[in-house]
Amino acid sequence: MNYPSKLIEQAIDEIAKLPGIGKKSALRMALHLLKRDEKHTLKLAEAIVAMRTQIRYCEQCHNISDTEICGICANQKREVSLICVVEDARDVLAIENTSQYRGLYHVLGGIISPLEGVGPADLKIESLINRITTSQNTENPITEIILGLSPTMEGDTTAFYLTKRIKPFGVKITTIARGIPIGGDLEYADEITLGRSIVSRIAYE
């Protein structure tokens, strides 16, 4: 496709790199931004730059945060003895939207996937083990780990590995009930199904 401007072409090429966005959709978005008032377009650009350059990750759970400790970890009303282990921040958002869970989280930053070259050392597993170890000397030790991982082969592999690492500490290990379709992702599950899965979690065998 021939574009009337190299600047438009560059914008389209970058927008088309976003997931689920093709060239035609990127063209529509670029032209829409061009038609909008300049201050609105600049505000969008500034928001994206600020997100990319200023965003942080919680030092405790590794969730996306604006501060050293995220709002969930800093909330004194949360159940600190309960940790839900998830793949990434999208899963935290999905579970939080159910309003059925009041514990804390631990974001692994991915799942074990040998085909993609992702091993245990590439994930935030050691920091989870450190959280468990450190908590044992406090008034509120971690008593339960919920494996909130998507029910895929990679998710099950990660859950199996985590179970082997956590069992020696004597901490209860559960997994969300399989109300989530096998092969599905947590972020696409409806809130009712996901909420029931959290409430009806079962022991991981």
Side-chain angles (χ1 to χ4, degrees):
M1 183 182 294
N2 294 322
Y3 299 102
S5 165
K6 284 290 183 183
L7 298 176
I8 284 286
E9 184 176 359
Q10 290 174 10
I12 291 170
D13 287 342
E14 293 304 316
I15 294 172
K17 292 177 182 178
L18 295 171
I21 304 297
K23 287 283 187 179
K24 289 184 178 180
S25 296
L27 173 59
R28 286 195 297 271
M29 291 180 183
L31 293 177
H32 173 73
L33 291 172
L34 192 61
K35 288 179 182 179
R36 294 188 68 186
D37 189 285
E38 184 177 336
K39 66 180 182 181
H40 294 301
T41 304
L42 292 177
K43 190 173 182 180
L44 171 62
E46 290 168 0
I48 293 174
V49 171
M51 176 191 71
R52 190 63 188 88
T53 59
Q54 298 177 27
I55 206 155
R56 308 174 71 169
Y57 292 90
C58 178
E59 293 184 356
Q60 181 167 297
C61 73
H62 310 293
N63 190 22
I64 293 171
S65 177
D66 291 334
T67 55
E68 290 184 3
I69 301 298
C70 72
I72 294 176
C73 288
N75 188 343
Q76 297 183 355
K77 294 182 179 180
R78 307 290 295 214
E79 297 179 29
V80 297
S81 62
L82 188 59
I83 305 290
C84 183
V85 179
V86 296
E87 179 181 346
D88 57 35
R90 292 173 299 177
D91 299 329
V92 174
L93 292 172
I95 294 174
E96 282 297 288
N97 284 337
T98 70
S99 300
Q100 298 291 324
Y101 179 68
R102 296 303 302 165
L104 300 180
Y105 294 92
H106 190 87
V107 180
L108 294 176
I111 50 178
I112 297 172
S113 179
L115 292 177
E116 296 183 8
V118 180
D122 300 309
L123 307 178
K124 304 296 185 182
I125 294 176
E126 291 307 318
S127 63
L128 172 62
I129 301 303
N130 289 336
R131 287 180 72 179
I132 297 172
T133 303
T134 303
S135 77
Q136 291 184 328
N137 298 319
T138 66
E139 295 181 358
N140 298 299
I142 295 171
T143 58
E144 181 180 355
I145 297 291
I146 304 172
L147 301 179
L149 303 172
S150 297
T152 60
M153 183 179 295
E154 293 81 5
D156 286 344
T157 299
T158 307
F160 179 72
Y161 179 84
L162 289 173
T163 299
K164 289 199 303 181
R165 293 294 308 274
I166 296 169
K167 268 190 174 180
F169 296 98
V171 176
K172 182 180 180 182
I173 303 172
T174 58
T175 183
I176 55 177
R178 294 303 174 94
I180 310 300
I182 300 298
D185 291 319
L186 287 182
E187 64 175 309
Y188 298 122
D190 66 273
E191 294 177 9
I192 295 176
T193 299
L194 187 55
R196 288 177 178 173
S197 296
I198 285 290
V199 173
S200 303
R201 60 186 180 273
I202 57 176
Y204 187 82
E205 303 263 325

